[in-house]
Amino acid sequence: MKKNVFIRRILALIIGTVVLYAILNTIIFVHIANDLFIEMQMRELKPRAEVIANLVLKYQQGLMTKNELDEQFLVNNAIWNAAVYVYDKQGNLIIRNEEILRTRLPREAHRYITPVLNEVFGEYLDSVLTGREVIATQSEKNRRSFLVVGEPVIHNGTITGAVFLTKLPEELLTALLGLRRSMMVSALGVLLLMIFPVYALTRHIVNPLKQMRDAAINMANGNLTEQANEDYKGEFGELGRSLNYLSARLSETISALELERNRLKQTIDGLSEGIIAIDAVGNITHVNPAIYNIFGIGNDDGRMGIIPVGDIWKDFDSVLLQGDTIVRSLKWKQMVLRITISPLEDEQNHIVGTVGLFRDVTESERLEQTRREYVANVSHELRTPVSALRALAETLADGMAPDEDTKKRYYTHMVHETMRLTRLIDDLLILSRLQSDPHAVQREAFKINRLMADVAERYAILAGEKDVRFNFTLLSEDVVLWSNMGLVEQVLIILLDNAIKYTPKGGSISLYASLEEDMVKVSVSDTGIGIAAEDISYIFDRFYKVDKAHATQGTGLGLAIAFEIIQRLGERIVVESHPEEGSTFTFTLSRNPGPGIKSL
């Protein structure tokens, strides 16, 4: 009952209504009923006064003796219920009956009854003896009030006397008080009778509301399978259906939000960039797996257990306080990280957290470095022949060549530098076409032994001129390959050019092939200067040279072109090398037919 506030309020309303009704009824009754009761009582006395006047008239006419008149007064005294005074036409009191008043007034007031009533009636006696009727409430000078009714005794139009009846108003008050008590008792009875039906009806109203409340609380706590009772009639049934509809829509909305949250979480967790989010008080709310992949720690021992860099967390706190985005770089082990820390704001633009994005920009930094080196290398490779041509041309233009032999020698140098410049430009164009042409290479069938023999025949002569041994081994069977013979020949030429270039006198170069299932591996091996381990991963980059001073001849584009050709053919090329021991380049060629697409 303590928790049933609604029931208590209904009962309080009912009780208050009944009490208010009793109070208002009493007030109205006091103001209206008192005068109404007095008027009714005086109207009751008037016909009694007329009856008494008729009896007195009979007595005056001799139709009734004095004893008979007294007997009538004695018999009807209780019926008249009033004090009776009868006066003759001279105003003399001839009959007096005060027994009713004597029984209802205090004993000490008995001796004052007759003089008081004479005085009261005396005020109206003359008026009644003139033939007028009197109905009035008379006050005995602030001591007591009387109800007065005066009736003339008339015989053939002649006034022969006057009859007065009087009663005390206390009799009316006694009746009024009794009526008031009856009204209060009836109001109390109605209250007692209505409490239990009202309580039962209120319980009948409250129970559905309690069930709806419990259902709403369970829904608010996340139990959206809870159903309100829809079987109630009227508004309660409509309320139950509304709650169930709300629950169904909430379930759909929450399911959609859960799906979106899971999709977002999967997306964030699938990103290669690391993401960390913190709330308004600095607690970590989300960490995706990429963070652990980047920093390689993977425990949850506070902030430093995730990112052991104090400056990063200071930046998070700074963004949380000031709301400004911070972008910075961080070198972590062999990686370069680009970190962006941004504030999170709600609808009122209040900062409710921050999110940090960690991107591994090592490769882009390396590509940027390669681009800068590429520009520098192209500039360097172009500057050397252009500078030489300019110097020779200026010398000839100024007529500073002393003789024809010197001029001829200068012209030869100019042709050599021009050919060098042309070779560089041709290599750049070939590399650019290999990297930008979207079409696949045109494939054809050819015999690898014949191609290797043709190339070996030419390079055996060049190796002999440099006093380098050239070894050549063919396959035991002349295998037919499916590839682009021209591009394969270009790769062999590039590899053999480098081998002759970097192999000193007395060294050796080998060209051979091996057969493995559905492919052939072709290798070019030398005993030259070799390649350091840290340079091998960059050996196929453009303009990359083991000789950092670029003192050796060549553009530094040959291996880059060879690598691009092998990639376009869908094959692989690898290198094994040790400094001062030599290098071996091996690439694969497929025996299976592939899709033929336009050649370069």
Side-chain angles (χ1 to χ4, degrees):
M1 183 69 180
K2 291 182 179 180
K3 295 184 178 179
N4 294 334
V5 178
F6 186 75
I7 293 179
R8 292 204 314 250
R9 289 179 178 177
I10 292 294
L11 292 177
L13 179 63
I14 297 298
I15 295 172
T17 302
V18 173
V19 171
L20 181 61
Y21 166 77
I23 294 173
L24 291 177
N25 198 26
T26 302
I27 294 174
I28 295 172
F29 184 81
V30 167
H31 283 80
I32 297 176
N34 191 30
D35 295 338
L36 183 62
F37 264 62
I38 292 174
E39 183 179 354
M40 291 173 59
Q41 192 69 24
M42 287 190 296
R43 288 180 180 177
E44 289 179 1
L45 291 178
K46 185 177 182 301
R48 297 174 187 174
E50 293 175 352
V51 171
I52 296 173
N54 291 330
L55 292 175
V56 172
L57 180 60
K58 289 179 179 181
Y59 168 72
Q60 290 177 344
Q61 293 174 349
L63 299 176
M64 180 181 296
T65 65
K66 181 68 169 58
N67 291 332
E68 291 176 343
L69 180 63
D70 292 337
E71 184 178 357
Q72 288 291 328
F73 271 78
L74 182 63
V75 171
N76 295 307
N77 188 42
I79 297 175
W80 295 333
N81 192 25
V84 180
Y85 274 49
V86 179
Y87 294 88
D88 59 15
K89 62 182 180 179
Q90 288 78 25
N92 299 318
L93 180 64
I94 59 176
I95 298 174
R96 181 181 64 187
N97 187 345
E98 301 170 341
E99 294 302 321
I100 294 297
L101 295 182
R102 293 180 181 277
T103 58
R104 296 177 181 177
L105 288 177
R107 182 177 297 274
E108 58 273 12
H110 289 178
R111 55 198 178 102
Y112 301 109
I113 293 176
T114 300
V116 168
L117 290 180
N118 278 325
E119 182 180 355
V120 170
F121 297 151
E123 295 181 11
Y124 304 103
L125 182 59
D126 292 339
S127 179
V128 174
L129 290 177
T130 59
R132 296 175 58 188
E133 296 178 349
V134 174
I135 299 176
T137 302
Q138 177 64 39
S139 175
E140 183 213 340
K141 297 182 179 178
N142 299 327
R143 285 195 292 176
R144 191 171 299 278
S145 296
F146 295 90
L147 297 179
V148 177
V149 174
E151 182 72 20
V153 179
I154 302 174
H155 177 65
N156 295 326
T158 302
I159 306 301
T160 60
V163 176
F164 285 92
L165 273 72
T166 185
K167 291 183 69 173
L168 292 175
E170 284 85 345
E171 298 182 21
L172 300 177
L173 295 178
T174 303
L176 289 175
L177 289 176
L179 184 57
R180 292 173 189 171
R181 284 195 296 269
S182 299
M183 292 176 61
M184 296 299 293
V185 171
S186 64
L188 181 61
V190 170
L191 177 62
L192 295 176
L193 290 175
M194 289 297 296
I195 284 179
F196 295 102
V198 168
Y199 179 78
L201 179 61
T202 306
R203 292 281 297 182
H204 182 70
I205 296 174
V206 168
N207 286 337
L209 292 178
K210 291 174 63 178
Q211 196 272 334
M212 304 292 177
R213 179 203 62 190
D214 295 339
I217 291 175
N218 290 333
M219 292 175 187
N221 291 332
N223 182 15
L224 297 180
T225 59
E226 180 77 16
Q227 291 289 305
N229 192 346
E230 300 180 4
D231 297 334
Y232 295 115
K233 296 180 180 180
E235 290 79 1
F236 291 121
E238 293 178 3
L239 178 59
R241 287 187 288 274
S242 299
L243 283 176
N244 292 338
Y245 176 73
L246 175 63
S247 175
R249 293 303 303 272
L250 281 176
S251 180
E252 294 174 3
T253 303
I254 291 174
S255 297
L257 291 175
E258 286 286 340
L259 179 61
E260 289 299 322
R261 189 192 71 170
N262 293 336
R263 184 181 293 124
L264 179 61
K265 185 177 184 300
Q266 292 296 327
T267 301
I268 292 176
D269 290 347
L271 294 176
S272 59
E273 291 84 359
I275 293 179
I276 291 182
I278 65 174
D279 59 19
V281 295
N283 297 322
I284 297 174
T285 58
H286 185 80
V287 180
N288 72 339
I291 286 292
Y292 301 117
N293 296 334
I294 292 173
F295 292 96
I297 297 176
N299 62 62
D300 295 328
D301 187 17
R303 290 181 165 189
M304 299 302 291
I306 299 175
I307 300 178
V309 182
D311 291 341
I312 298 297
W313 294 114
K314 290 181 181 178
D315 290 341
F316 270 95
D317 296 335
S318 175
V319 172
L320 197 61
L321 292 175
Q322 301 177 7
D324 298 326
T325 300
I326 293 179
V327 180
R328 62 172 297 172
S329 296
L330 173 68
K331 289 186 178 180
W332 177 258
K333 297 181 180 179
Q334 283 77 38
M335 293 184 293
V336 178
L337 302 177
R338 181 67 51 80
I339 304 171
T340 303
I341 305 174
S342 304
L344 294 175
E345 298 180 347
D346 59 11
E347 294 82 359
Q348 287 77 33
N349 296 325
H350 297 153
I351 297 177
V352 295
T354 59
V355 60
L357 177 66
F358 295 74
R359 294 178 55 215
D360 183 2
V361 295
T362 306
E363 185 64 20
S364 61
E365 289 289 330
R366 189 186 70 81
L367 290 176
E368 178 62 23
Q369 181 64 27
T370 301
R371 185 191 66 80
R372 290 194 293 266
E373 291 178 355
Y374 174 75
V375 173
N377 289 331
V378 170
S379 301
H380 177 77
E381 295 296 337
L382 290 174
R383 182 177 58 192
T384 300
V386 170
S387 298
L389 285 171
R390 178 181 177 183
L392 293 171
E394 288 177 350
T395 300
L396 292 173
D398 293 340
M400 297 178 63
D403 50 41
E404 290 297 325
D405 291 338
T406 302
K407 289 182 180 180
K408 185 176 181 179
R409 190 172 68 253
Y410 282 3
Y411 285 130
T412 302
H413 289 328
M414 290 176 69
V415 171
H416 176 75
E417 293 299 333
T418 303
M419 291 176 62
R420 179 181 175 188
L421 186 59
T422 301
R423 187 166 59 251
L424 173 62
I425 294 174
D426 289 341
D427 288 345
L428 285 172
L429 290 175
I430 291 172
L431 184 60
S432 176
R433 289 174 62 192
L434 286 170
Q435 292 177 337
S436 61
D437 191 353
H439 302 96
V441 243
Q442 183 69 39
R443 297 176 185 272
E444 59 187 351
F446 66 92
K447 294 182 178 181
I448 187 61
N449 278 352
R450 180 179 300 178
L451 176 61
M452 291 175 62
D454 291 343
V455 175
E457 184 178 358
R458 284 176 280 165
Y459 277 87
I461 299 172
L462 296 175
E465 292 176 354
K466 196 176 176 183
D467 196 15
V468 173
R469 293 192 310 277
F470 189 87
N471 302 316
F472 169 55
T473 304
L474 295 174
L475 291 172
S476 57
E477 56 177 306
D478 198 1
V479 177
V480 177
L481 300 179
W482 187 261
S483 189
N484 188 292
M485 186 174 66
L487 294 179
V488 173
E489 181 181 8
Q490 189 173 356
V491 172
L492 287 174
I493 290 172
I494 291 172
L495 296 179
L496 290 172
D497 274 340
N498 283 345
I500 291 175
K501 187 186 304 180
Y502 292 104
T503 301
K505 292 181 179 181
S508 63
I509 298 173
S510 299
L511 174 61
Y512 55 92
S514 61
L515 182 61
E516 294 185 7
E517 296 180 358
D518 58 348
M519 70 174 64
V520 172
K521 288 185 175 182
V522 181
S523 301
V524 175
S525 180
D526 63 61
T527 58
I529 62 175
I531 305 170
E534 62 271 15
D535 293 325
I536 288 180
S537 59
Y538 305 112
I539 198 66
F540 295 109
D541 290 349
R542 292 170 293 184
F543 294 108
Y544 192 84
K545 292 184 177 181
V546 176
D547 175 19
K548 297 296 190 296
H550 294 257
T552 57
Q553 294 294 323
T555 61
L557 296 173
L559 290 179
I561 294 173
F563 181 79
E564 288 296 331
I565 291 174
I566 293 299
Q567 292 292 314
R568 294 294 302 278
L569 292 174
E571 307 291 352
R572 295 183 302 110
I573 183 170
V574 294
V575 58
E576 294 181 6
S577 183
H578 300 281
E580 307 302 330
E581 295 182 9
S583 305
T584 300
F585 287 85
T586 302
F587 62 92
T588 63
L589 293 173
S590 175
R591 297 177 64 182
N592 298 325
I597 311 177
K598 187 170 85 173
S599 152
L600 290 175

